[in-house]
Structures are given as C-alpha cells and as structure tokens.
Amino acid sequence: MEADDTGNRLRFQLELEFVQCLANPNYLNFLAQRGYFKDKAFVNYLKYLLYWKEPEYAKYLKYPQCLHMLELLQYEHFRKELVNAQCAKFIDEQQILHWQHYSRKRMRLQQALAEQQQQQQQNSTSVK
C-alpha cells in the first residue's frame, strides 16, 4: 500500500511538471522538431492529461497558461505549426504582452482600491 502511495505521488509530480512545461512555447517547438507530436501514443498522452483542467488538479498549477496550450495541442494543425520556430516565437511574444497588460491592469486596480480606502478613512475621520 505504501509503495502505491509513493508511486502515485511520483506520477502526480511528474505529470504536474510536464503539464507546466507545456506553457513554454520553446519547449513545444523542441518537441515538435523531434517528432513527438507525430507519435500517436504521445498525442494520446496529451489527451489523457486534460484531467488537469479539473479544479481539484488545476489548483496545483503555477503556470495556468499551460492549460490553454494543452487544449491547443489537441489539434493536429497546431501541433504541425509548432515545428516552425517563428510560431513558437510569436506565442512567446503574445504571452509576454498578455502578462504585461495583466500586470499594468492589476497595478491600476490596486492603486484605485488604495485610493478608495484612503478616501473612506478620510471621510470617516472627518465625520467624527
């Protein structure tokens, strides 16, 4: 029983690490150039890994964009395009742009919230 638990934990860790590697377009390009996406067994493995989209597993992911890549990898056309280094570069640039936009938007929201809280504190002290 203990060996089973250890095996399951190791499998979980390996699959978690692999799924998160899918967030890296350069790694996807590496896999495509070496023909992994032409291997039926590997494509079936990618399909099996879709269970990571379930909330009880997704909560362990540090790089949630890997789920989007995993979804795209279900399509043969996308897998074929990844052989092209320019495709991987484009995806990488889009991820960076998304992250920059998200970061700026989050910073503006935090500033607005801080200003709102400061305004509320000023209002509550002036009422007294």
Side-chain angles (χ1 to χ4, degrees):
M1 194 76 155
E2 202 171 299
D4 246 3
D5 288 344
T6 303
N8 287 338
R9 189 176 350 194
L10 180 60
R11 179 178 174 176
F12 176 83
Q13 290 171 338
L14 290 173
E15 289 179 358
L16 172 63
E17 186 174 337
F18 176 72
V19 167
Q20 293 194 109
C21 285
L22 299 178
N24 183 340
N26 296 307
Y27 180 63
L28 297 178
N29 177 252
F30 171 86
L31 293 174
Q33 288 182 348
R34 278 146 188 85
Y36 282 92
F37 297 141
K38 294 177 183 174
D39 181 357
K40 194 85 166 154
F42 191 78
V43 172
N44 286 336
Y45 181 63
L46 292 172
K47 188 173 186 175
Y48 156 77
L49 291 173
L50 286 171
Y51 77 86
W52 281 96
K53 293 176 72 176
E54 299 298 323
E56 65 263 27
Y57 295 101
K59 67 183 179 184
Y60 295 103
L61 297 171
K62 191 173 187 176
Y63 308 104
Q65 67 270 30
C66 68
L67 294 178
H68 185 64
M69 293 299 166
L70 180 60
E71 186 69 37
L72 290 172
L73 286 167
Q74 304 305 310
Y75 299 98
E76 184 178 4
H77 179 73
F78 182 72
R79 294 190 304 266
K80 285 181 178 178
E81 288 296 320
L82 284 169
V83 173
N84 183 353
Q86 285 302 110
C87 177
K89 184 177 185 216
F90 176 77
I91 294 169
D92 193 38
E93 289 169 352
Q94 293 303 304
Q95 284 183 334
I96 291 169
L97 289 171
H98 176 76
W99 176 78
Q100 287 174 336
H101 173 73
Y102 172 80
S103 297
R104 281 191 294 255
K105 185 176 178 182
R106 183 177 171 135
M107 188 171 61
R108 284 193 303 265
L109 288 172
Q110 288 175 336
Q111 286 174 341
L113 181 62
E115 290 171 7
Q116 183 182 22
Q117 288 173 342
Q118 186 179 23
Q119 186 71 30
Q120 287 174 348
Q121 286 176 346
Q122 288 175 351
N123 290 343
S124 67
T125 56
S126 65
V127 170
K128 292 179 182 180

